[in-house]
Amino acid sequence: MGEILKTINLTKNFGGLSAVVDVNFVVKKGDLQSIIGPNGAGKSTFFKLITGELEPTRGQIIFFNKDITSLPQTAISHLGIAVSYQITNIFPMLTVFENVRVAVQSRKTTFNLWSKAISHKEFVEQTRHILEQINLSDFKDEIAANLSHGHQKRLEIGIALATQPKLLLLDEPTAGLSPMETRQTIELIKKIAQDLTIILVEHKMKVVMEVSDRITVLHYGKLLAQGTPDEIRNNEEVRRVYLGGVKI
């Protein structure tokens, strides 16, 4: 499979603090690649560099052979990178259906604001398909603010999918979820990953080991290790600095 995204010596400094240091990272089409590391390892900063929320101090970000290093967030989003953050970012007073439909419409270059949105069959059909995909069809008329935390997280993933991304970034999608909700989210991620390239930041190691094709480990902003789940599981240095010497 070809490369979708790669970073070359990606570095981000905040004054005298180096949050990300010379990280070389590659994601291939169809892969689910997880990024792990202790608190303060640079995971969130790395995510924000890829999405354009932060600008690197130096280095490059290449997406489908295009240098996107200094592009604004909106431009990067329209190129096909979508993100679902740990803190849910939904329209709380809109229904579940309306939340997803707005995201579907955002990717259309022509749209008549004076026409009824519900009359646009293409938008409606795409929205229904996504709601089925994330198992929220039964909640389509529910106000988003009234959803459980687990369903809100699932809705935000649906909103990201509605932008038709080529690459989906998931920032701790199981944070704050119950064991049952976590299992449901794992199954959703597995389903999505069948057709989409994903970068996942996640603290729950059981989740990471179950869903990942490859894992990247950051430590103090530097690349500590990369490999398959088995390779990371058996890496003594990873266990020492991140897992307290415990083998998982």
Side-chain angles (χ1 to χ4, degrees), residues 7-11 20-25 46 218 221-223:
T7 66
I8 304 169
N9 297 326
L10 194 62
T11 299
V20 173
V21 184
D22 290 326
V23 172
N24 293 299
F25 174 86
F46 186 72
L218 296 180
K222 297 181 179 179
L223 190 66

Side-chain angles (χ1 to χ4, degrees), residues 105 110-112 115-125:
Q105 290 173 200
T110 58
F111 180 66
N112 182 356
S115 64
K116 291 183 178 179
I118 201 69
S119 69
H120 290 256
K121 292 182 179 179
E122 182 184 354
F123 298 156
V124 172
E125 288 171 3

Side-chain angles (χ1 to χ4, degrees), residues 145-208:
N146 296 336
L147 294 177
S148 68
H149 179 57
H151 283 168
Q152 286 186 357
K153 298 277 278 192
R154 200 181 301 174
L155 175 58
E156 188 175 37
I157 292 174
I159 291 170
L161 292 175
T163 66
Q164 300 179 323
K166 300 180 180 73
L167 175 65
L168 176 63
L169 279 60
L170 298 176
D171 182 15
E172 297 198 41
T174 69
L177 300 188
S178 69
M180 184 178 73
E181 289 172 329
T182 297
R183 170 46 54 189
Q184 291 170 343
T185 301
I186 289 172
E187 295 307 319
L188 175 60
I189 291 170
K190 285 180 175 180
K191 182 166 69 172
I192 293 169
Q194 293 175 9
D195 303 306
L196 188 60
T197 307
I198 296 174
I199 300 175
L200 170 72
V201 166
E202 178 59 63
H203 273 104
K204 296 177 183 176
M205 291 306 298
K206 288 185 178 179
V207 175
V208 169

Side-chain angles (χ1 to χ4, degrees), residues 70-143:
S70 299
L71 293 180
Q73 268 186 286
T74 52
I76 289 174
S77 173
H78 278 273
L79 284 173
I81 297 179
V83 59
S84 175
Y85 286 110
Q86 179 181 352
I87 299 172
T88 53
N89 185 23
I90 60 178
F91 295 104
M93 301 316 295
L94 295 183
T95 66
V96 169
F97 186 91
E98 289 166 342
N99 266 272
V100 175
R101 191 191 64 207
V102 166
V104 169
Q105 290 173 200
S106 74
R107 283 302 179 263
K108 302 302 176 183
T109 55
T110 58
F111 180 66
N112 182 356
L113 292 175
W114 301 108
S115 64
K116 291 183 178 179
I118 201 69
S119 69
H120 290 256
K121 292 182 179 179
E122 182 184 354
F123 298 156
V124 172
E125 288 171 3
Q126 287 183 28
T127 301
R128 285 175 175 164
H129 173 71
I130 291 166
L131 291 179
E132 289 174 6
Q133 193 175 8
I134 61 175
N135 297 321
L136 285 182
S137 295
D138 291 344
F139 298 87
K140 65 183 180 66
D141 297 321
E142 188 74 50
I143 297 297

